[in-house]
């Protein structure tokens, strides 16, 4: 008789279960690391800080390049046969668009916007386009709005002409996508001021350099989103097209582009939004349009001049957003719809009527229709400034003394190796070894630029602004995800906050709190909250309904459901929200260099506004990019799973 198999033999039965070790609490490691860092700081503070080296930050080679360009602008073949022709071509494109828009007149342009809205999305979009375009004249900013519109169209056309083909190619080639990713990262993180000086250096001031600057700033979303759209096309459809004998070009035209149409339209939409946010800053290099009114209002501390221009840009963004998104989401024609010729007749009639009216009415917008509210706005701001002086002064001084000064002292007096160790540990725990190494490398590179102290000052303001932005964004996002009514009320406010130019946030903060670091932090919080709210709301809404129902079946309350299920499962979205909040705060803090924020923002602004400090501005721009990449890598959070594995749902809810 044969012996039983080893797996069934009594002698080989499973060993008795031993008492498992109790796992360490997840907060123990971060708490221990924080205690070690505090102890190391107390022992070694002030022993190995890196000073701010003005001589090292001058970047003499950059200054030499600037001097060479100034001396050889009219002699070098690079300028005579390439740079100058590019400047003339872009300037000619702007002039042609401006001539067409200005030639339509105010009635013709309003009618053209209504016809385009009717063609894209029907009567509702047409009404939005007509009212929005007409508001430019009511605000008394018709000529400036036409200038801005022409500049945005020129920049967007150039961005799409270059960005869409590159995005399609990147979506079909992994190698090209990996090659473009770091370039696009630098383009998106680079402070907007840092684009201005090189453009002026090569293309001089005016509409041409402003359009090229806006194009460079607006092109990354066109490339990224188009690449994502092409990459996500169904492989089965591509394989079927290839199996039927289609060439790569036919597959692109007949499969990739039609199936990616909606997402590519989103790329166009985001490109327009980025261009609108950049044309304001481009006013510093003589860009025509609404940006000059905002810059003038900022320099004079005149909210009455600044606010109408900001409202006009927001309205322009809303009109362009509604038209492009309506065209993107337009579905197939329903069976009972009018024939295509009749559908085209309505926009044609609108154009015909407005064309006749444009011939009969004056070319200038009627002055009696213009609203004058600069005086009341300034009076309200002055009343708030003097009435709330005690409260605003107490808030500013309290935050500065209790938070900003101690935090900046810690960062600027800590040994450089301790700061690097903290960044390495945080990046390793949050995102893994490779992102942590990149983060530390970027941090130490700022020391090689001789800008360690100013980098630490900028990091102080970023951290002080990120925390309240994340707290407010998380609270508002949770409230919007749990209440559709609250979300509907909040959505137009978020739209306005996201499209409002960054400069607009500075003047009210400047009027209330003066030119200090707190002003830049206050403005950065308002600027960074909207994307955080949207991402948190979207992440919580997209939590699996199965997990929610399982939690409810276990008897969880709404509070337990939020803390034990929704937030843990939306952790990746929340980490992305933190990432975007940090990037937005960093961008606004650099803009805050205009109102006394100090740090790298002041270096960028002063360096590019003074010829003798051009190298300083360039070095500060590079240091800002390095700081942004460091914070981005730390907050990627790829190693943070939604919740620990092998833990039953019932135990996670309890």
């Amino acid at each position: 008789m044969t012996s039983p198999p080893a797996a069934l033999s009594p002698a080989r039965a499973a060993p008795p279960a031993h008492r498992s070790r109790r796992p360490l609490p997840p907060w123990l490691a971060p708490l221990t690391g924080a205690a070690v860092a505090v102890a190391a700081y107390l022992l070694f503070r002030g022993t190995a800080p890196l000073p701010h080296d003005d001589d090292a930050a001058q970047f003499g080679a950059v200054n030499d390049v600037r001097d060479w360009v100034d001396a050889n602008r009219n002699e070098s073949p690079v300028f005579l046969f390439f740079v100058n022709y590019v400047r003339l071509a872009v300037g000619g494109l702007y002039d042609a668009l401006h001539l067409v828009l200005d030639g339509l007149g105010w009635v013709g342009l309003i009618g053209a916007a209504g016809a385009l809205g009717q063609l894209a999305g029907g009567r509702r979009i047409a009404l939005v386009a007509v009212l929005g375009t007409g508001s430019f004249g009511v605000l008394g900013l018709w000529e400036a709005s036409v200038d801005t519109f022409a500049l945005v169209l020129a920049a967007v056309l150039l961005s799409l002409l270059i960005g869409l083909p590159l995005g399609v190619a990147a979506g079909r080639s992994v190698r090209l996508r990996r090659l473009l990713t770091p370039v696009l990262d630098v383009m998106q993180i680079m402070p907007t001021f840092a684009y201005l000086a090189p453009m002026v250096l090569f293309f001089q001031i005016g509409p041409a350099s402003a359009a090229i600057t806006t194009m460079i700033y607006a092109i990354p979303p066109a490339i990224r989103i188009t690449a994502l759209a092409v990459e996500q096309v169904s492989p089965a459809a591509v394989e079927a097209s290839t199996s039927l004998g289609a060439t790569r070009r036919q597959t692109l035209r007949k499969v990739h582009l039609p199936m990616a149409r909606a997402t590519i339209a989103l790329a166009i939409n985001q490109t327009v939004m980025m261009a609108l946010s950049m044309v304001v800053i481009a006013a510093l290099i003589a860009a025509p349009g609404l940006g000059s009114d905002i810059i003038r209002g900022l320099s004079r501390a005149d909210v009455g001049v600044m606010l109408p221009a900001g409202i006009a840009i927001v309205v322009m963004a809303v009109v362009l957003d509604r038209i492009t998104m309506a065209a993107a989401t337009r579905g197939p024609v329903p069976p009972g719809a009018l024939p295509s010729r009749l559908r085209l007749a309505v926009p044609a009639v609108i154009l015909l009527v407005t064309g006749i009216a444009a011939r009969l009415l004056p070319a200038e917008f009627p002055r009696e229709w213009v609203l004058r509210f600069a005086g009341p706005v300034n009076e309200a701001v002055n009343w708030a400034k003097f009435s709330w002086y005690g409260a605003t002064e107490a808030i500013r001084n309290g935050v500065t003394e209790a938070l900003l000064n101690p935090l900046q002292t810690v960062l600027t007096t800590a040994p450089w190796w301790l700061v690097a160790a903290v960044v390495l540990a945080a990046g390793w725990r949050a995102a893994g070894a490779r992102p942590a190494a990149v983060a530390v490398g970027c941090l130490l590179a700022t020391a090689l630029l001789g800008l360690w102290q100013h980098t630490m000052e900028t990091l102080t303001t970023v951290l002080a602004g990120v925390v309240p932005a994340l707290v407010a964004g998380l609270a508002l996002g949770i409230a919007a995800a749990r209440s559709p009514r609250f979300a509907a009320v909040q959505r137009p406010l978020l739209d306005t906050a996201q499209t409002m130019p960054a400069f607009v946030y500075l003047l009210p903060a400047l009027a209330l709190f003066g030119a200090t670091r707190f002003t830049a932090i206050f403005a950065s919080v308002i600027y960074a909250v909207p994307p955080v709210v949207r991402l948190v709301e979207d992440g919580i809404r997209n939590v699996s309904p199965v997990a929610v129902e399982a939690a409810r079946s276990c008897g969880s309350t709404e509070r337990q459901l939020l803390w034990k299920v929704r937030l843990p499962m939306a952790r990746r979205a929340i980490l992305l929200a933190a990432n975007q909040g940090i990037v937005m705060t960093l961008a606004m803090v650099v803009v805050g260099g205009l109102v006394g924020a100090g740090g790298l923002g002041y270096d960028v602004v002063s360096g590019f506004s003074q010829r003798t400090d051009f190298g300083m501005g360039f070095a500060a721009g590079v240091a800002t990019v390095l700081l942004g990449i460091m914070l981005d890598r730390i907050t990627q959070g790829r190693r943070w799973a939604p919740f620990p594995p092998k833990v039953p749902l019932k135990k996670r809810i309890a």
Side-chain angles (χ1 to χ4, degrees):
M1 183 175 178
T2 59
S3 60
L8 302 178
S9 176
R12 296 198 178 254
H18 295 283
R19 180 179 296 177
S20 60
R21 295 182 178 179
R22 186 176 181 179
L24 296 176
W27 49 263
L28 183 60
L31 184 61
T32 304
V36 172
V38 170
Y41 171 75
L42 295 176
L43 289 174
F44 299 101
R45 60 179 174 180
T47 57
L50 296 178
H52 180 71
D53 189 349
D54 292 332
D55 295 332
Q58 288 297 321
F59 261 53
V62 178
N63 291 329
D64 293 340
V65 171
R66 182 205 58 200
D67 295 337
W68 181 89
V69 169
D70 289 340
N72 296 273
R73 187 183 303 277
N74 298 321
E75 299 178 2
S76 173
V78 175
F79 284 89
L80 292 177
F81 300 106
F82 177 70
V83 175
N84 290 343
Y85 280 104
V86 171
R87 178 171 57 84
L88 292 174
V90 176
L93 175 62
Y94 168 79
D95 291 337
L97 292 172
H98 187 273
L99 182 64
V100 171
L101 296 177
D102 194 46
L104 290 174
W106 66 274
V107 178
L109 187 55
I110 292 174
L116 188 60
Q118 173 69 31
L119 195 62
R123 292 175 295 180
R124 183 176 299 178
I125 304 300
L127 181 61
V128 171
V130 168
L131 294 178
T133 309
S135 68
F136 302 149
V138 175
L139 293 170
L141 297 168
W142 182 261
E143 292 81 5
S145 299
V146 171
D147 294 342
T148 296
F149 196 34
L151 185 61
V152 169
L153 287 180
V156 169
L157 288 176
L158 292 173
S159 298
L160 298 180
L161 184 64
I162 300 173
L164 292 183
L166 270 179
V168 171
R172 304 180 73 189
S173 172
V174 178
R175 182 177 299 177
L176 179 60
R177 187 161 61 250
R178 290 177 178 174
L179 182 65
L180 290 176
T181 296
V183 178
L184 298 178
D185 288 341
V186 172
M187 292 172 68
Q188 286 191 292
I189 300 175
M190 178 74 74
T192 50
F193 285 105
Y195 290 105
L196 302 182
M199 294 302 104
V200 172
L201 183 64
F202 287 97
F203 300 104
Q204 301 179 351
I205 63 173
S209 59
I212 295 173
T213 303
T214 305
M215 177 200 72
I216 295 173
Y217 184 72
I219 203 172
I223 299 175
R224 287 186 187 275
I225 301 177
T226 302
L228 179 66
V230 174
E231 182 186 5
Q232 290 182 343
V233 169
S234 172
V238 177
E239 185 66 26
S241 174
T242 306
S243 64
L244 293 175
T247 63
R248 286 178 57 87
R249 179 174 296 181
Q250 290 173 332
T251 302
L252 174 64
R253 292 176 50 247
K254 301 295 184 180
V255 178
H256 279 105
L257 295 183
M259 297 185 71
R261 180 177 67 91
T263 309
I264 292 176
L266 177 62
I268 297 173
N269 175 274
Q270 291 300 301
T271 302
V272 172
M273 296 298 106
M274 297 289 283
L276 277 170
S277 65
M278 187 62 190
V279 292
V280 177
I281 299 175
L284 293 172
I285 55 175
L290 298 168
S292 59
D293 292 330
I294 294 178
I295 298 299
R296 186 171 66 253
L298 181 64
S299 61
R300 298 177 181 176
D302 191 345
V303 182
V305 172
M306 195 175 181
L307 186 61
I311 294 174
I313 290 180
V314 171
V315 172
M316 188 179 296
V318 170
V319 170
L320 294 175
D321 173 77
R322 297 300 184 267
I323 291 176
T324 54
M325 293 309 296
T329 57
R330 185 177 55 188
V333 180
L338 296 174
S340 58
R341 292 183 179 179
L342 294 180
R343 292 198 307 273
L344 293 175
V346 176
V349 170
I350 295 175
L351 289 176
L352 179 62
V353 172
T354 53
I356 296 174
R359 293 288 183 180
L360 300 177
L361 295 175
E364 295 184 358
F365 194 87
R367 295 184 179 274
E368 58 270 16
W369 294 359
V370 176
L371 296 178
R372 307 291 182 183
F373 56 91
V377 169
N378 286 331
E379 291 178 3
V381 170
N382 291 331
W383 176 85
K385 180 178 180 180
F386 290 106
S387 300
W388 301 343
Y389 178 78
T392 56
E393 187 78 5
I395 293 173
R396 185 190 68 185
N397 293 338
V399 173
T400 301
E401 296 297 332
L403 176 63
L404 296 181
N405 290 344
L407 181 58
Q408 180 171 314
T409 301
V410 169
L411 291 176
T412 54
T413 59
W416 65 268
W417 53 264
L418 180 58
V419 178
V422 171
V423 169
L424 179 64
W428 198 310
R429 180 173 177 79
R434 182 175 297 178
V438 173
V440 172
C442 292
L443 176 67
L444 297 180
T446 63
L448 296 178
L449 293 174
L451 292 170
W452 178 268
Q453 291 291 317
H454 284 191
T455 301
M456 294 299 102
E457 293 175 7
T458 302
L459 182 59
T460 300
T461 55
V462 170
L463 294 178
V466 164
V467 173
L470 293 183
V471 171
L474 188 63
L476 294 174
I478 292 173
R482 301 180 68 180
S483 173
R485 181 176 300 178
F486 181 81
V489 173
Q490 181 178 249
R491 188 171 296 114
L493 299 177
L494 296 179
D495 290 340
T496 302
Q498 280 194 287
T499 53
M500 188 75 74
F503 282 106
V504 176
Y505 296 109
L506 288 177
L507 193 53
L510 183 63
L512 293 175
F513 300 104
T516 61
R517 290 176 298 169
F518 183 81
T519 302
I521 294 172
F522 181 81
S524 68
V525 171
I526 303 175
Y527 187 64
V529 162
V532 176
V533 173
R534 290 186 183 277
L535 289 169
V536 171
E537 178 185 357
D538 184 70
I540 294 177
R541 286 186 184 275
N542 291 332
V543 170
S544 172
V546 177
V548 175
E549 287 300 322
R552 284 176 176 161
S553 66
C554 295
S556 297
T557 63
E558 286 298 323
R559 184 173 182 179
Q560 291 173 329
L561 191 64
L562 174 66
W563 289 101
K564 301 295 185 180
V565 179
R566 293 187 186 276
L567 290 180
M569 297 190 70
R571 184 174 296 178
R572 291 192 181 278
I574 294 173
L575 288 174
L576 179 59
N579 178 279
Q580 292 300 301
I582 288 173
V583 172
M584 299 288 283
T585 304
L586 179 61
M588 190 64 189
V589 164
V590 172
V591 175
L594 290 171
V595 293
L600 297 175
Y602 175 79
D603 291 338
V604 171
V605 174
S606 64
F608 288 151
S609 61
Q610 301 176 18
R611 292 180 56 84
T612 56
D613 290 334
F614 186 87
M616 169 70 79
F618 183 83
V622 173
T624 306
V625 172
L626 294 172
L627 182 61
I629 294 175
M630 181 196 80
L631 296 172
D632 174 78
R633 295 303 183 266
I634 292 176
T635 54
Q636 282 181 353
R638 293 178 179 175
R639 292 184 60 185
W640 293 8
F643 37 74
K646 299 182 181 180
V647 179
L649 180 64
K650 187 174 181 180
K651 291 185 178 180
R652 278 186 259 118
I653 297 170

